[in-house]
Amino acid sequence: MQFNPGSLVRLRERDWIVMPSADNDLLLLKPLGGTEDELTGVYLPLLSRDEQPQLASFPLPGPADLGDFASARLLFNASRLSFRNAAGPFRSIGKFSFRPRAYQMIPLIMALRQENPVRLLIADDVGIGKTIEALMIVREMLDRGEIKRFAIVCLPHLCEQWKQELLDKFGIEAEIIRSSTAAQLDRKIYGDANIFHYFPFQVISIDYIKSEQRRQEFVHECPELVIVDEAHTCARPLGAYDSQMQRYYLVKKIAEKPQQHLVLLTATPHSGKQGEFQSLLGLLKPEFETQDLAEAGEKERRAIARHFVQRRRADIERWMGEDNPFPRRIPSEIPYQLGEAYGKTYWEVFHFVQNLVEGIGQPLNRSQRIQYWTALALLRGVISSPAAGALMLQNRASRLEDEEDEPENGLPDNPVLDSDYGSEGDTEPTQLLDKHPWTDSQIRRLRDLAKSMETLYGIGADAKAAQTLATLREWLREGYNPIVYCRYIETAKYLGALLKDALPSDVAVETVTSELDDEARRERVEALKEYPRRVLVATDCLSEGINLQHLFTAVLHYDLPWNPNRLEQREGRVDRFGQSAPEVRIGLLYGQDNPMDAIVLKVLLQKAREIREALGISVPFPENSQTIMDAVLNATLLNPQSARQYSQQGTLFDTREFTVYKDTEAAVSAAYQLAAEQQKAIRTVFAQHAIKAQDIELDLQEVDAVIGNMAAVETFVTQSVRYLGGQIDRWKRGYRLLTDNLPGGLKDLFPGKKEALLSFDSPTPAGYRYIGRNHPLVERLSQMVLANALYPEGNRFQIARSSVIRCRDVAHLTVVAEFRVRNVIATLQGRQEIVAEEMLLWGWQGDADDPACHLTPEAAKFLLENSAPSANLSAPEQAYWLEEALRTLQNLDPLLEKKAVDRAEHLIEAHERFRAALDKGHRYKVVEPVLPMDLLGLYVLVPDTAAQN
């Protein structure tokens, strides 16, 4: 026998839904009310004659199914939340554990617009949600059968974060492949299979596979789709370190594979260096590498824009009139005075290093630049903290005494300037070649200065640390949990120890630097979940890519970064999509009486923020950053008169009287203005602006109705747990579930726990477990409710497929029917089919033959969710009204078939609208309803005439 997909069959005393199969001899079956995990294959030639499957019909609800009307709501939500194959144009949306926002669908649509292969650069601002957008592409391409395997290539410390997002939001279990896991994974492999081929879903450390041997192996075996996170670190850098070149060569080799799908993610695609940006574009298509997007013609720019999506945060905040998904940022500048003892030592160091570079003319050659880079590095360490300053001075003296000659190879244009991105700023930039002839007295002076710095440890002598302590106490009192970012490892360790001793005992303080491996960093951060009040002291190893918004609500820049890109990266850890706090605090700590902080704050950082506020975009550090830094340093080290006046007058505003300062400010302003104009030109033509947001939102709202949204998940879980005898109550920022009275099939989800804290919000509050649409708790509750309804024999709890109540909510006899609609969706060529399910609510009030009395799905849902019995009805009365409703319904069979066909035609229109958005013509889709629709539940509302009179 041949069975059409979507039809109902009975086999081995159980009802099954027939699923599409490429082999006529292999019957693929899913249990009625079951999940895709229960999909079963039956090889028909091996069945005996007595075992042959038979066509079945869905049983109608009858008097035996009468029960509590409240359970009808459970049955409706259990049914729609169990659906995984949505009938709408987005194939995978039933497998999301969250409700996407319309703007997050744009990269998915852009990816589906492309003919194979998919090549996309997602360059949204920091914190908008690139991870979710990329994984939506993964899930959709898997469900469309366009890929079977994928790999996420990311920085080592982000591997666990990606793995968790895949599991929590999309139900995909991926394997992490890096140095610490490779040997263990090898033991799971049978035969001589390659690790990169054996595991279909991979999260891979880029530093594990960038070496030549592993690079060749991965490129040869890599999955059909590769996502590269923080792709800017893989741009072809100019004059960069070998490790950065290895990353570029890795991604370039992947991109050279003709049919390779490749998605690149970065919040900072343009660091200000045009060559690096062009190399990223070249990974999408080789011809893009030679096209300057700012100067390209309309045709060329539109070609690039089909592969390049970039949204400002301001664009997202106004999208579709949705609620603002971002917190309000409260910035502040926090001044401090060095104090007498610290100020004395600081100026001694300042004048010492100033003497080293005094007399050097312009322009500077390479050796002379290195000479003042060394001086500047020492001075910057002294500004950072006594610990960093003492260590740098000691190390400098030791290297000079040992006469170690360090090579010039590999030094960037300015090793003192913070990098555009990455955690390289976590290291000490003092290991520079210095051919300047240091005298013995100078070396001794370095050692004396180091000892002076050591006397400044502690809150009493270190005004910077004291001001930080006062600021953190205030923020903690106001309810904020801050991250304090430091430039140097020694500073972070020093400050972390001070804060741990000085802050109240109920405030947890952790310190994270690049000295810790990735696992240790993750453990230290996650340990803070257990404390309501927490402070994290970190270097820039935690300033990029990692999500910290679930734990922290404030950022304090302990050391001013010398590259504005670093500000956005640091602040983006907490000020991002999903931050549950309504506002976040941002503080810039600066010394009022040292010229270096004044120049960096006023000339670099404030200028970048002024442009961001005016244009709504983050402008990258200008490409001629060396010129800017030369101008800045001219105003400090290379201008003795300016520094001496500054040390005497000591306020930010006094420096405006100095010509050098004005010249520096003018140079920086001009460079930034040029960079801003380039950014505006790049953003003027993007393909995402041609996609109609209203159409996307309409499709999403329809999906909400037929398969349930997160509000439906919350309602269903809380109501069904209580109905099944469990206890779940509101608790602070979520719910507290007591596990003692749960059925066994649910209790094992919380092994060894008497209670569990649950949340239906993402990101999830600290200490709570996220319950999304596809969480095992939701799946098991859905299956329990459906099993109790469809197979009630021997079940402890009855879920009513039918109910009759007398109520005040209706003026006429009202019937609400729950239909489960099965649609077979196929391409016009019939090469691929799926069986999609959805719920349809319908009914009538009064005369069922009068179309004016028919209920819309929205009206039927409102009655189902809000009606309540006002008086008792006897069992015979309930049976009578139910049989009358069934009899009327059977006479409406032609109308119900038409409703199923109309729904199918509506879906075809939605698919065609979607195809039009993709610019891919009309080869998609055929939608055929399986008739008759399954009548899952029937509920009769009898008006309470006595109450109405």
Side-chain angles (χ1 to χ4, degrees):
M1 296 181 64
Q2 298 296 320
F3 299 98
N4 293 325
S7 58
L8 200 64
V9 299
R10 188 158 185 84
L11 178 66
R12 295 175 182 172
E13 300 183 353
R14 191 172 185 182
D15 292 329
W16 308 77
I17 297 174
V18 177
M19 307 302 287
S21 173
D23 186 343
N24 290 335
D25 288 334
L26 182 65
L27 188 64
L28 291 181
L29 303 172
K30 186 179 76 169
L32 181 63
T35 68
E36 290 188 344
D37 292 337
E38 299 174 273
L39 194 68
T40 301
V42 177
Y43 190 59
L44 294 175
L46 295 182
L47 293 181
S48 66
R49 182 171 299 178
D50 295 335
E51 288 185 304
Q52 293 297 317
Q54 301 295 322
L55 282 173
S57 59
F58 193 78
L60 296 175
D65 298 303
L66 282 166
D68 181 11
F69 180 75
S71 67
R73 302 158 188 156
L74 296 181
L75 181 59
F76 171 65
N77 278 325
S79 299
R80 60 181 184 153
L81 291 174
S82 67
F83 298 151
R84 294 295 175 264
N85 290 321
F90 300 108
R91 185 79 55 82
S92 62
I93 203 164
K95 296 175 183 174
F96 296 173
S97 283
F98 62 99
R99 202 282 197 178
R101 289 177 175 263
Y103 80 84
Q104 292 176 318
M105 305 296 292
I106 298 296
L108 170 58
I109 292 176
M110 291 181 64
L112 296 177
R113 271 183 166 182
Q114 299 178 21
E115 300 296 339
N116 284 341
V118 172
R119 295 291 173 92
L120 193 63
L121 172 58
I122 304 176
D124 291 340
D125 278 356
V126 172
I128 283 179
K130 293 179 290 298
T131 297
I132 293 297
E133 293 170 349
L135 293 182
M136 286 164 60
I137 295 173
V138 168
R139 182 76 264 182
E140 185 74 15
M141 293 183 72
L142 283 171
D143 290 347
R144 288 172 177 266
E146 296 180 17
I147 62 170
K148 295 185 182 300
R149 302 185 300 132
F150 69 86
I152 311 292
V153 178
C154 62
L155 299 175
H157 66 282
L158 300 178
C159 288
E160 280 83 4
Q161 182 171 288
W162 274 98
K163 177 181 173 69
Q164 200 62 44
E165 286 289 288
L166 278 162
L167 184 62
D168 289 347
K169 302 298 195 304
F170 300 91
I172 297 175
E173 182 76 52
E175 295 288 354
I176 294 177
I177 302 177
R178 61 184 179 193
S179 301
S180 59
T181 64
Q184 180 183 357
L185 293 176
D186 278 333
R187 290 193 288 271
K188 295 182 179 180
I189 297 175
Y190 298 102
D192 58 353
N194 183 276
I195 189 173
F196 301 121
H197 185 84
Y198 184 83
F199 297 103
F201 311 138
Q202 310 165 10
V203 178
I204 307 177
S205 161
I206 191 169
D207 290 338
Y208 178 72
I209 57 169
K210 71 184 181 184
S211 64
E212 184 174 356
Q213 179 181 353
R214 292 199 187 105
R215 179 174 72 227
Q216 293 176 352
E217 189 178 358
F218 176 73
V219 169
H220 185 263
E221 300 288 349
C222 72
E224 308 102 287
L225 170 63
V226 173
I227 294 175
V228 180
D229 190 24
E230 307 298 344
H232 51 263
T233 66
C234 304
R236 185 183 60 244
L238 302 176
Y241 302 107
D242 290 341
S243 62
Q244 290 175 285
M245 294 300 291
Q246 286 180 323
R247 292 178 181 180
Y248 170 71
Y249 288 140
L250 166 69
V251 183
K252 186 173 187 295
K253 289 298 181 183
I254 295 171
E256 287 173 352
K257 298 179 71 173
Q259 297 303 311
Q260 179 70 52
H261 301 295
L262 182 64
V263 177
L264 308 177
L265 310 179
T266 173
T268 51
H270 203 310
S271 66
K273 300 177 178 64
Q274 187 64 25
E276 294 185 10
F277 178 59
Q278 296 295 133
S279 73
L280 272 185
L281 295 180
L283 296 173
L284 303 175
K285 282 190 175 183
E287 58 266 30
F288 291 168
E289 187 165 355
T290 59
Q291 296 178 1
D292 183 341
L293 194 53
E295 302 295 332
E298 188 76 6
K299 180 180 178 181
E300 290 78 12
R301 293 171 72 186
R302 288 191 177 276
I304 294 175
R306 290 181 65 87
H307 301 268
F308 184 16
V309 55
Q310 186 175 31
R311 273 84 57 88
R312 302 174 304 167
R313 179 160 155 171
D315 298 332
I316 303 305
E317 289 173 337
R318 292 190 294 266
W319 184 276
M320 284 294 299
E322 294 176 310
D323 293 337
N324 186 350
F326 302 103
R328 184 169 67 96
R329 186 183 297 197
I330 304 177
S332 60
E333 294 173 1
I334 305 167
Y336 70 92
Q337 296 278 347
L338 286 173
E340 183 177 353
Y342 208 121
K344 180 176 181 297
T345 302
Y346 169 79
W347 284 108
E348 286 177 353
V349 175
F350 187 97
H351 293 306
F352 174 77
V353 298
Q354 196 174 54
N355 289 333
L356 298 178
V357 296
E358 195 168 10
I360 297 178
Q362 299 284 350
L364 301 176
N365 59 35
R366 174 73 174 179
S367 177
Q368 291 170 329
R369 286 188 186 279
I370 292 173
Q371 193 169 329
Y372 78 71
W373 286 340
T374 301
L376 187 62
L378 293 174
L379 189 58
R380 195 173 180 196
V382 170
I383 292 174
S384 178
S385 71
L391 181 65
M392 288 187 183
L393 292 166
Q394 290 168 352
N395 287 346
R396 190 70 236 165
S398 299
R399 278 194 289 272
L400 289 170
E401 192 171 61
D402 294 340
E403 297 182 350
E404 291 185 4
D405 192 47
E406 299 164 14
E408 295 188 27
N409 296 337
L411 283 178
D413 288 340
N414 188 339
V416 181
L417 174 65
D418 292 344
S419 62
D420 292 314
Y421 22 62
S423 60
E424 293 87 351
D426 208 9
T427 58
E428 298 174 13
T430 58
Q431 296 182 2
L432 309 174
L433 175 66
D434 189 356
K435 296 179 180 178
H436 179 76
W438 292 69
T439 65
D440 291 341
S441 63
Q442 288 175 324
I443 295 175
R444 285 195 300 272
R445 182 61 175 154
L446 278 174
R447 288 222 167 94
D448 291 340
L449 291 171
K451 291 178 181 178
S452 295
M453 292 299 301
E454 291 173 350
T455 66
L456 303 174
Y457 282 47
I459 300 297
D462 186 354
K464 184 179 182 182
Q467 179 60 61
T468 297
L469 178 60
T471 300
L472 295 183
R473 282 174 171 164
E474 178 184 349
W475 286 4
L476 288 164
R477 280 196 303 270
E478 294 173 352
Y480 296 97
N481 288 319
I483 304 175
V484 184
Y485 278 108
C486 304
R487 173 64 171 79
Y488 301 111
I489 293 174
E490 287 303 313
T491 298
K493 293 193 296 186
Y494 159 81
L495 182 63
L498 285 182
L499 295 178
K500 186 168 288 190
D501 290 338
L503 287 172
S505 58
D506 67 329
V507 177
V509 179
E510 280 290 358
T511 302
V512 173
T513 74
S514 61
E515 288 183 329
L516 302 171
D517 61 32
D518 299 325
E519 184 63 21
R521 292 183 213 174
R522 186 183 66 82
E523 288 177 355
R524 287 202 181 185
V525 173
E526 290 301 308
L528 291 171
K529 282 183 177 180
E530 305 301 321
Y531 300 91
R533 303 213 299 166
R534 60 189 82 97
V535 173
L536 175 64
V537 181
T539 54
D540 283 316
C541 69
L542 289 185
S543 69
E544 192 169 66
I546 190 168
N547 296 334
L548 297 173
Q549 74 272 26
H550 61 298
L551 289 175
F552 301 99
T553 52
V555 167
L556 178 65
H557 300 278
Y558 190 77
D559 295 321
L560 294 181
W562 283 23
N563 188 327
N565 294 349
R566 179 61 50 208
L567 280 180
E568 284 302 310
Q569 287 291 352
R570 288 176 175 180
E571 293 164 12
R573 299 315 98 220
V574 301
D575 184 9
R576 60 191 299 110
F577 178 78
Q579 171 61 261
S580 57
E583 58 188 29
V584 295
R585 292 292 299 264
I586 305 296
L588 283 170
L589 189 66
Y590 70 94
Q592 284 185 307
D593 49 356
N594 79 72
M596 198 165 290
D597 273 6
I599 296 296
V600 170
L601 178 64
K602 285 290 185 182
V603 175
L604 292 181
L605 304 185
Q606 288 186 349
K607 180 59 64 177
R609 287 194 161 173
E610 286 172 9
I611 293 175
R612 178 178 176 83
E613 290 173 4
L615 302 180
I617 59 176
S618 295
V619 177
F621 204 54
E623 187 162 14
N624 61 338
S625 58
Q626 182 57 57
T627 302
I628 290 177
M629 289 309 298
D630 283 350
V632 171
L633 299 177
N634 259 317
T636 54
L637 283 178
L638 301 184
N639 195 284
Q641 184 61 31
S642 172
R644 290 191 185 99
Q645 291 180 11
Y646 189 92
S647 65
Q648 295 167 2
Q649 299 178 14
T651 68
L652 290 176
F653 302 101
D654 292 336
T655 57
R656 292 193 177 275
E657 302 302 321
F658 303 147
T659 302
V660 173
Y661 182 93
K662 291 181 178 180
D663 292 344
T664 299
E665 188 175 36
V668 173
S669 294
Y672 263 122
Q673 192 61 41
L674 179 61
E677 292 300 322
Q678 291 175 338
Q679 283 296 296
K680 284 197 295 185
I682 288 173
R683 291 171 180 263
T684 53
V685 179
F686 285 116
Q688 63 261 19
H689 298 316
I691 299 173
K692 295 181 179 178
Q694 292 79 5
D695 290 346
I696 299 172
E697 183 60 25
L698 177 63
D699 288 332
L700 291 176
Q701 289 175 0
E702 288 194 3
V703 170
D704 288 346
V706 296
I707 69 171
N709 56 14
M710 285 307 300
V713 172
E714 182 174 354
T715 299
F716 171 69
V717 169
T718 54
Q719 290 181 351
S720 58
V721 165
R722 291 165 186 152
Y723 194 85
L724 295 173
Q727 181 177 344
I728 184 170
D729 303 300
R730 274 281 182 187
W731 184 259
K732 296 180 181 179
R733 300 179 66 185
Y735 291 87
R736 181 175 63 175
L737 172 68
L738 303 182
T739 63
D740 283 342
N741 295 329
L742 288 178
L746 301 177
K747 190 178 295 186
D748 62 4
L749 294 173
F750 310 96
K753 291 189 176 182
K754 293 288 186 180
E755 65 178 40
L757 298 181
L758 311 181
S759 172
F760 301 91
D761 298 325
S762 179
T764 308
Y768 287 73
R769 183 180 300 193
Y770 175 66
I771 305 297
R773 189 178 185 276
N774 296 329
H775 190 278
L777 177 62
V778 180
E779 290 189 344
R780 293 193 190 183
L781 282 170
S782 297
Q783 297 313 307
M784 284 184 176
V785 169
L786 287 168
N788 276 270
L790 299 176
Y791 308 103
E793 297 84 2
N795 284 320
R796 176 183 171 191
F797 304 100
Q798 183 186 13
I799 302 297
R801 290 189 61 202
S802 59
S803 185
V804 181
I805 63 170
R806 189 182 300 279
C807 67
R808 302 185 181 95
D809 303 289
V810 295
H812 305 280
L813 183 71
T814 301
V815 176
V816 176
E818 288 183 7
F819 293 101
R820 181 168 54 189
V821 187
R822 281 173 275 139
N823 290 290
V824 179
I825 304 177
T827 60
L828 290 176
Q829 295 83 359
R831 290 196 298 263
Q832 186 181 358
E833 294 179 320
I834 66 166
V835 176
E837 297 177 284
E838 58 184 24
M839 292 299 294
L840 174 64
L841 288 179
W842 184 76
W844 66 89
Q845 284 186 318
D847 185 0
D849 293 323
D850 183 358
C853 296
H854 294 172
L855 295 172
T856 64
E858 293 77 16
K861 183 171 180 285
F862 180 83
L863 288 172
L864 186 68
E865 292 180 341
N866 295 282
S867 300
S870 59
N872 292 328
L873 281 172
S874 67
E877 285 180 297
Q878 293 182 47
Y880 168 79
W881 287 114
L882 178 63
E883 289 170 357
E884 284 294 307
L886 283 169
R887 191 165 22 255
T888 302
L889 199 62
Q890 288 170 344
N891 293 331
L892 297 175
D893 280 348
L895 174 63
L896 295 177
E897 288 191 7
K898 183 177 185 306
K899 291 193 75 64
V901 172
D902 288 346
R903 175 61 185 166
E905 290 178 352
H906 177 78
L907 289 172
I908 291 173
E909 292 175 2
H911 282 288
E912 290 300 333
R913 184 172 66 249
F914 183 62
R915 297 301 297 179
L918 300 184
D919 298 333
K920 287 192 173 181
H922 300 277
R923 58 189 177 93
Y924 221 25
K925 297 228 178 240
V926 174
V927 181
E928 294 183 356
V930 177
L931 298 174
M933 297 184 292
D934 299 339
L935 179 59
L936 197 61
L938 190 64
Y939 308 97
V940 183
L941 309 180
V942 180
D944 190 339
T945 55
Q948 292 169 0
N949 291 334

